[in-house]
Amino acid sequence: MGKATGFMEFERQTANERDPVERIHDWKEYSAPFSDEVAKTQGARCMDCGTPFCHIGMDIDGATSGCPIYNLIPEWNDLVYKGKWREALERLMKTNNFPEFTGRVCPAPCEGSCTVAINDPAVTIKNIEQKIIDKGFEEGWIEPRVPERRTGKKVAIVGSGPAGLAAADQLNQVGHQVTVYERADRAGGLLTYGIPNMKLDKDVVERRVQLLREEGIEFVLNTEVGKDISAEEIKAKHDSVILCTGAQKHRDLPIEGREGKGVRFAMDYLTKSTKKVLDDSVEVEEELDAKGKDVIVIGGGDTGADCIATALRQGANSIAQFGKHPQLPIKRSDENQWPAYPQVFSLEYAHKEAKENFGEDIRQYSIQTKKFVTDENGKLKELHTVEMKKTRDENGMFVFEEIPGTEKVWPAQLVLIAIGFEGTEQPVLEAFNVKTERNRVDAEYGDFRTNVEHVFAAGDSRRGQSLIVWAINEGREVAYHVDQYLMGETALPSVANM
Ligand SMILES: Cc1cc2nc3c(=O)[nH]c(=O)nc-3n(C[C@H](O)[C@H](O)[C@H](O)COP(=O)(O)OP(=O)(O)OC[C@H]3O[C@@H](n4cnc5c(N)ncnc54)[C@H](O)[C@@H]3O)c2cc1C
Ligand code: SF4
C-alpha cells in the first residue's frame, strides 16, 4: 500500500488553512483542499503495515480509536498514490455514505491509531478522504443512483442528521420507499444547524440532500413528529420507523443569575447564527449577537470552539473560553499510549483564530463559574469564577476542589453555555412510548429495536452525543437490521460481517 519507503521520504502535510486574520471576515470554509499532487505524496506515506489499526473503530478508555465505519484506508491511500482516483472513490463509497462530511469535520480517530504514528506523524487520512470525494463531485462521477426495483415497503425516519440520512440512503438503495421527517426548515441535523458554515459549508450538506431526493427519498421538513403529525399516524403509514432524533437536550448551569439576559445555550446561538448566515433577512435577537461584546464560552469542547469562531466573525470585543479540566499535555501521557485516541493539547481552528486576532490563547483551564451578575435591567454585566484543583479521592475517582483566594470577576455581556448534552429530548419518545435509559432510547447496538413493535432507534438518540462518523455507522447498521426485519434477509453491508 502506498509507496514502500514513502513514510521515510515524505513529511506529513495537512490541508492548507486560510489566514486566521483574513478568514474571520467571512463565513467560507477555513480549510482549502489538497491539490492532486500533495494528496498523492501523502497517500504514499501509508506504509503497508500489515495490521492497519486505522480502519477498525474500537473504544479504548472511553474514546474512539480507528475508523468506526471501517473505511478501507490503506486501499484508497494506495489508489490515490497511483493516481487511480475513480477506483479510490469506489472504495471509499463502499463504507462511507458521506465522506464530504467526515473528510471535513471528523476528528479522525483513524490518525491516532495509524501505525506510522507510533514514532512519526500519522498519515494524513482525513484530508485525503475529502480530496477523493471532492474530486468525485468535481469530475461529475457522483450521479443519482435511482433504484431499479421497489419492494413496496415503506420506512419512516424521524430526524435528518447524519444517522437518519445514512439509514435513508441504505434503505432507499435496496428499494424501500423512505420518508424522512424533520422539524427544522432544512435537512441535515447538526450538520446544518450546529456545525458552523466555516467548518462545513451548508451547500455541501444541501448538495447531498438534493442527491438523496433525486434518488427517491422524500423529505418532509418543518414537521415535528409527535406534534405536527402523531406517532400513531406515522406508524400506521409505514412498515417500519427509525428514530434518529439526536441528543440535543441541553445540560444547564443552574447557578445564581442564570435567568439574566445574555446567558444563553450555545446551541441557540449557533443555530440562529447559521440561519442568519444562510438568509440575511432572518431576524436574530440582539441578545444573541456578539458584536462589540465581551463573550464568555463556558465549556471546553468542540461546541464551545464553534461558538468562539462564530463570535469572532460577528465582531466580539473579547472572548474567553472556560474549561473545568487542566490543560492537556503536549505529548501522550503514559496512560494514553498508541493506538488510543491522543489526549494531547491542540489548537483547534477557532483557537488559532482567537490567538491570532487577540494575541493570546483565550482558553482558561481549571475554572468554575460561581454566579452571573446582571444590571438593573436584568442584563448580564459580569461573571464570577474560582480556580479548581483536580485530584483523586480515596476511591481513586477524580474530584474538583476550589482553590481559596482565586476568585475573579469577568466583565461579560454574552455568556454561552456549552457544557454538553443530557440526551434525547423527551416529547418524541413519549409520543412513541419508547423506553429510555439515562435519557437515551433503550435499543441495543447490533439490534436497534426499541420496546415498540416496528420502531428502531439509531445515532445520538440511542448512543448519546457523539460523532458524525458514529452516526453514519449507526445509520448503516440500523438499515441492515431494518431491511432484514422487513424482508427476512438482507444484502446490505454491516461492520459485523467485514
Ligand atoms: C456544535 C456541535 C458541533 C459538532 N461538531 C462535530 C464535529 O466537528 N465532528 C463530529 O464528528 N461531530 C461533531 N458534533 C457531533 C455530531 O454533530 C453529532 O454526533 C451527529 O450530528 C449526530 O447525528 P444524529 O443524526 O444522531 O443526530 P442530529 O444530527 O442531532 O440530528 C437529529 C435531527 O432530528 C431532528 N428531530 C428531533 N426530534 C424530532 C421530531 N420530533 N420530529 C422531527 N425531527 C426531529 C432534529 O431537528 C435534528 O435535525 C458536533 C455537535 C455539536 C452540537
Ligand atoms: S471517517 Fe473519520 S475516522 Fe474514518 S477515515 Fe475518515 S477521518 Fe478517519
Side-chain angles (χ1 to χ4, degrees), residues 5-56:
T5 53
F7 69 100
M8 296 190 287
E9 289 173 42
F10 309 116
E11 302 269 304
R12 173 180 159 103
Q13 202 176 325
T14 51
N16 284 330
E17 288 187 11
R18 298 168 56 216
D19 181 337
V21 177
E22 295 289 318
R23 72 192 191 214
I24 65 156
H25 298 295
D26 64 58
W27 299 87
K28 295 189 195 120
E29 285 187 353
Y30 70 88
S31 163
F34 272 162
S35 67
D36 287 14
E37 277 320 303
V38 173
K40 281 185 188 180
T41 317
Q42 292 302 304
R45 293 188 72 240
C46 193
M47 64 188 272
D48 193 9
C49 59
T51 309
F53 283 72
C54 60
H55 91 126
I56 296 177

Side-chain angles (χ1 to χ4, degrees), residues 105 107 158-164 181-183 189-190 194-195 199 223-225 244-246 248 267 270 303 306 421 428 459-460 465-468 471:
V105 297
V158 187
S160 67
Y181 293 87
E182 170 55 57
R183 66 184 173 190
L190 290 172
I195 299 173
K199 239 166 108 183
T223 305
E224 182 166 344
V225 174
C244 296
T245 49
Q248 297 187 29
M267 280 305 296
L270 291 173
T303 305
D306 291 337
F421 298 86
V428 67
D460 281 4
Q465 188 70 228
S466 179
L467 298 175
I468 288 160

Side-chain angles (χ1 to χ4, degrees), residues 428-460:
V428 67
L429 308 182
E430 281 162 17
F432 280 95
N433 211 10
V434 290
K435 273 198 204 149
T436 55
E437 165 119 28
R438 291 186 295 138
N439 284 326
R440 300 170 193 172
V441 182
D442 191 5
E444 207 167 310
Y445 184 84
D447 178 37
F448 301 96
R449 288 174 208 233
T450 68
N451 56 307
V452 180
E453 182 66 17
H454 311 310
V455 180
F456 294 69
D460 281 4

Side-chain angles (χ1 to χ4, degrees), residues 391-399:
T391 51
R392 288 189 191 268
D393 66 11
E394 62 275 12
N395 302 319
M397 304 296 285
F398 281 120
V399 285

Side-chain angles (χ1 to χ4, degrees), residues 47 77 104 138-139 155 275 288 299 360 433 444 456 461:
M47 64 188 272
N77 276 338
R104 284 172 167 77
E138 277 157 31
E139 298 287 340
V155 180
K275 281 189 188 236
L288 278 180
E360 59 182 1
N433 211 10
E444 207 167 310
F456 294 69
S461 65

Side-chain angles (χ1 to χ4, degrees), residues 66-69 71 73 76 96 102 106 108-110 125-126 129 469:
C67 179
I69 45 180
N71 269 347
I73 299 162
W76 40 259
N96 191 352
T102 48
C106 185
C110 52
I125 299 168
K126 165 180 162 173
E129 183 176 30
V469 66

